[in-house]
Amino acid sequence: FIRITPREEPSSPSNPTANPLRYQYRYGTHHTKMFLVGFKDRLRVIIHTANLIHVDIYKKAQGAYIQDFPYKSKQSSSRSSSEINTCDFEKCLIGYMESYGYKKPHDWISSHDGLEKVTLQQQLSLYDFTAANVVLIPSIPGYYSFPDKCKTQGYMKLKSAVEQHVAAGSQSDGQVICQFSSIGALSEKWLREFVSSISIKDVQHHETAKTGKAAKLVDLVKLVYPTVEEIEQSIEGFAGGNSVPGKKKNVEKSFLKPLYCKWASFDEFSVRNPLHKKKNVPHIKSYYQLKPGGSDMEWFMMGSQNLSKAAWGEIINGKYGKCLRVLSWELGVFVAPSLVGGRLVPFTENSHGQEGATIIPLPYALNPERYSCNDEPWTID
């Protein structure tokens, strides 16, 4: 078992023997949650949202993507890397792992005694990822120039995935749902740009038929974030709020308040739905866009990314020119109907009988309810 995680405070000097990751920017952190599990005949990739602590595993609402990948065929393995058509998933995964700077060779498969030790990146290149049914959405600290390098990171990578796998031929103006357990110091301008970029329509320039003005954010996006009452009534009580570290100065901005929606739902369907975790504090982070009618998803994304500039990136103009600045390590997965060959629907009593449907085990209501006038968003201070 090899653990590659930062064990130091951001201000500590780098210690290569314990921590191959160096904190690169202020306010940035390593936030990815991932397992790479090697078996004799395959690799299991697990990208999830839980920290490796008891309360996260047993009491919080979390999400995980799990898929196994076999070794490449002997014919592929015998060809040079320049001859092999490496898929995007492989390129992205290896590129992400290279950012850790972990280059120590290992005998990764214990049953392969006597073989030459290789780096983790070399070992990953032996597996066939062509059956991957998701797109990796990474964030690696750095500055990424326009128009090309920025498309590999943060919300610009998510934007590219939507454009490539969903947007063609679709004119959906369904709302974007953002669900998270922490929120950064956002501006209305950044949030509008973020929603615009990941929406099928360019909502930044969307105009209402009546006024001709830019559409209001409240018509474009819903932010799913727990209320004080939901934290209090969770199975952990107020102690559960420690994993929802929203600060008052960030959470209670006036432009955000109309956008908030409840985590818990108590309608008849939700009460009967075993996947709705209204009594469990959310630690999952998920994003999707509703289809017209509100019963399907245009696309879905789950990962470690909270709603912050540090996680998703911010477009700036500086000494590097126009670029996307990313502060934190993050990793998530994106899925769309074109990638799985069917509609994306949440679990319902009848979802298993829907032909050609891929079920997303959403732990909250697909079309979440807005806060009432008495609801207050949870803050830790």
Side-chain angles (χ1 to χ4, degrees), residues 184-243:
L186 306 183
S187 66
E188 185 173 357
K189 179 182 178 182
W190 182 90
L191 183 58
R192 185 174 285 273
E193 165 63 25
F194 175 76
V195 174
S196 165
S197 297
I198 64 177
S199 177
I200 292 175
K201 272 192 173 182
D202 184 1
V203 295
Q204 189 173 24
H205 300 101
H206 181 72
E207 295 184 349
T208 60
K210 292 183 178 179
T211 65
K213 297 180 180 180
K216 296 179 180 179
L217 272 175
V218 72
D219 297 324
L220 306 175
V221 62
K222 288 185 171 184
L223 306 182
V224 181
Y225 185 78
T227 66
V228 173
E229 183 180 16
E230 287 172 335
I231 295 293
E232 180 185 11
Q233 295 183 357
S234 73
I235 60 174
E236 299 176 75
F238 283 125
N242 290 327
S243 62

Side-chain angles (χ1 to χ4, degrees), residues 16-282:
T17 61
N19 175 23
L21 296 179
R22 184 191 299 272
Y23 286 88
Q24 296 189 8
Y25 303 103
R26 188 181 181 188
Y27 304 118
T29 185
H30 178 270
H31 200 240
T32 295
K33 291 93 165 98
M34 174 176 61
F35 287 108
L36 299 175
V37 185
F39 296 90
K40 182 177 180 180
D41 58 345
R42 67 194 188 280
L43 174 74
R44 177 167 296 169
V45 177
I46 306 171
I47 297 170
H48 60 104
T49 63
N51 293 303
L52 295 186
I53 55 177
H54 183 275
V55 69
D56 267 30
I57 304 299
Y58 290 98
K59 295 185 178 181
K60 297 287 192 293
Q62 307 281 6
Y65 153 80
I66 304 172
Q67 189 171 356
D68 288 358
F69 300 97
Y71 279 100
K72 291 175 179 174
S73 65
K74 292 183 179 180
Q75 182 179 5
S76 296
S77 300
S78 64
R79 296 155 60 192
S80 67
S81 59
S82 60
E83 294 176 310
I84 300 172
N85 183 21
T86 306
C87 68
D88 179 74
F89 189 98
E90 179 179 340
K91 290 178 182 177
C92 188
L93 180 60
I94 292 178
Y96 179 84
M97 296 309 301
E98 284 177 343
S99 75
Y100 284 7
Y102 189 80
K103 300 179 181 179
K104 185 177 179 179
H106 282 276
D107 179 10
W108 295 96
I109 307 298
S110 59
S111 60
H112 291 180
D113 292 336
L115 293 182
E116 179 183 359
K117 294 182 178 181
V118 296
T119 65
L120 177 58
Q121 291 76 20
Q122 290 172 322
Q123 180 66 29
L124 290 175
S125 69
L126 300 178
Y127 297 100
D128 183 358
F129 296 101
T130 55
N133 53 17
V134 298
V135 175
L136 290 179
I137 308 295
S139 290
I140 300 171
Y143 293 78
Y144 301 91
S145 59
F146 276 71
D148 297 321
K149 289 185 177 180
C150 65
K151 294 180 180 179
T152 66
Q153 301 294 322
Y155 79 84
M156 295 300 290
K157 176 64 183 287
L158 180 54
K159 176 183 179 180
S160 296
V162 172
E163 290 175 343
Q164 181 178 353
H165 298 287
V166 183
S170 177
Q171 291 296 317
S172 174
D173 57 358
Q175 288 181 313
V176 171
I177 312 298
C178 304
Q179 179 274 315
F180 46 89
S181 60
S182 183
I183 187 169
L186 306 183
S187 66
E188 185 173 357
K189 179 182 178 182
W190 182 90
L191 183 58
R192 185 174 285 273
E193 165 63 25
F194 175 76
V195 174
S196 165
S197 297
I198 64 177
S199 177
I200 292 175
K201 272 192 173 182
D202 184 1
V203 295
Q204 189 173 24
H205 300 101
H206 181 72
E207 295 184 349
T208 60
K210 292 183 178 179
T211 65
K213 297 180 180 180
K216 296 179 180 179
L217 272 175
V218 72
D219 297 324
L220 306 175
V221 62
K222 288 185 171 184
L223 306 182
V224 181
Y225 185 78
T227 66
V228 173
E229 183 180 16
E230 287 172 335
I231 295 293
E232 180 185 11
Q233 295 183 357
S234 73
I235 60 174
E236 299 176 75
F238 283 125
N242 290 327
S243 62
V244 188
K247 295 182 179 180
K248 186 172 292 187
K249 66 178 182 178
N250 295 337
V251 171
E252 295 188 350
K253 292 184 176 180
S254 59
F255 76 92
L256 292 173
K257 287 187 175 181
L259 310 180
Y260 285 128
C261 293
K262 298 179 181 182
W263 163 254
S265 178
F266 291 93
D267 58 38
E268 182 180 358
F269 164 70
S270 293
V271 170
R272 297 198 310 268
N273 191 326
L275 297 185
H276 282 196
K277 303 297 182 181
K278 47 188 169 289
K279 290 291 186 178
N280 299 84
V281 173

